[in-house]
Amino acid sequence: KGDTLFNASTPTIQSCASCHNADGNSSIPANPKLAQQHPEYILKQLQEFKTGKRKNAVMTPMASHLSDQDMRDIAWFVGAKKVKTGFSKDKDTIAMGEKIYRGGIADRQVPACAGCHSPNGAGIPAQYPRLGGQHADYIVTQLTAFRDGGRLNAPQMTGVAAKLNDREIKAVADYIAGL
Ligand code: HEM
Ligand code: HEM
């Protein structure tokens, strides 16, 4: 059932696959890859788009059409796909991005991302999402939204992002894309 729900469009609703691709590896950098993401995390996001705890103009109407069972079927369907990892594009900031990801920024009490998202970016099921291979553009949008209050459904991330400047956000996002 997850397959049909994910891939089929209806006259009123575009398919998930039209934005996130049939194998969950979205090709558009603003749209997150869902492949190999922890199903419990996907389920939580869909529930929170529906209730408005996480706000997004595109995803709120999409999620509002799904029942809790639909969300579960979709989450376990797409989470079982294999993620296609990308690569870091900006040679000048890889070292900075890696340093933040693995060690945080000690003098500003930024914790290491690896502590919650794991050293290889796979996350820790079920609470801590996979980041490895995710589009850098999408990561930048999320970190900026955590920092500016646009995304409020992850209190753990608000404090982390609050201490990062734009350059650091870009660097760590670019590093993550290549994990
Ligand atoms: C985000 C699932 C349809 C565009 C997400 C997320 C999930 C999801 C779970 C959050 C991912 C994360 O936190 O890593 C779905 C499902 C769909 C669907 C199950 C079908 C019912 C669509 C469609 C579009 C779209 C049709 C494009 C028109 C986006 C965008 C985001 C997103 C732009 C990022 C939102 C943000 O910046 O916060 N989607 N999606 N999705 N999706 Fe979808
Ligand atoms: C979510 C990045 C540190 C816990 C996220 C997301 C990003 C991110 C981009 C959203 C993923 C998505 O939408 O698919 C980072 C970076 C970090 C960092 C770059 C280091 C600078 C941490 C730490 C913790 C943590 C130290 C644990 C204390 C979480 C949790 C979520 C999350 C629980 C999921 C929120 C939810 O359920 O909606 N992180 N993170 N992160 N992060 Fe981090």
Side-chain angles (χ1 to χ4, degrees):
K1 183 130 178 289
D3 192 341
T4 318
L5 286 165
F6 195 80
N7 284 296
S9 293
T10 70
T12 41
I13 282 290
Q14 242 179 295
S15 72
C16 317
S18 66
C19 292
H20 295 281
N21 290 23
D23 67 352
N25 283 286
S26 105
S27 30
I28 300 171
N31 300 352
K33 295 181 187 175
L34 304 176
Q36 230 173 304
Q37 187 54 275
H38 311 310
E40 296 85 352
Y41 169 81
I42 297 178
L43 175 63
K44 174 179 182 280
Q45 302 311 307
L46 292 172
Q47 288 168 336
E48 293 178 346
F49 282 131
K50 187 172 180 176
T51 61
K53 198 170 173 206
R54 178 173 172 183
K55 297 189 192 312
N56 181 260
V58 176
M59 283 307 302
T60 302
M62 300 298 310
S64 70
H65 290 270
L66 303 172
S67 69
D68 211 59
Q69 190 58 52
D70 292 342
M71 293 178 186
R72 285 172 194 279
D73 291 343
I74 289 172
W76 268 263
F77 166 77
V78 73
K81 304 279 182 199
K82 279 267 163 288
V83 73
K84 287 186 196 148
T85 51
F87 51 92
S88 308
K89 295 195 176 101
D90 192 344
K91 289 197 174 52
D92 295 342
T93 63
I94 287 183
M96 181 194 208
E98 177 168 20
K99 202 160 175 253
I100 295 171
Y101 190 83
R102 305 202 167 275
I105 307 174
D107 53 2
R108 272 185 274 146
Q109 284 95 44
V110 176
C113 318
C116 291
H117 294 283
S118 88
N120 68 0
I124 306 171
Q127 206 188 339
Y128 302 108
R130 155 179 284 280
L131 301 179
Q134 188 56 273
H135 296 300
D137 285 10
Y138 170 75
I139 303 267
V140 168
T141 305
Q142 298 313 303
L143 290 173
T144 310
F146 288 134
R147 188 181 64 185
D148 301 346
R151 178 170 171 186
L152 295 169
N153 72 332
Q156 300 94 325
M157 285 306 303
T158 310
V160 175
K163 296 177 191 142
L164 298 174
N165 64 36
D166 289 350
R167 210 174 114 73
E168 290 159 347
I169 285 180
K170 273 196 83 175
V172 76
D174 187 57
Y175 175 74
I176 286 168
L179 269 180

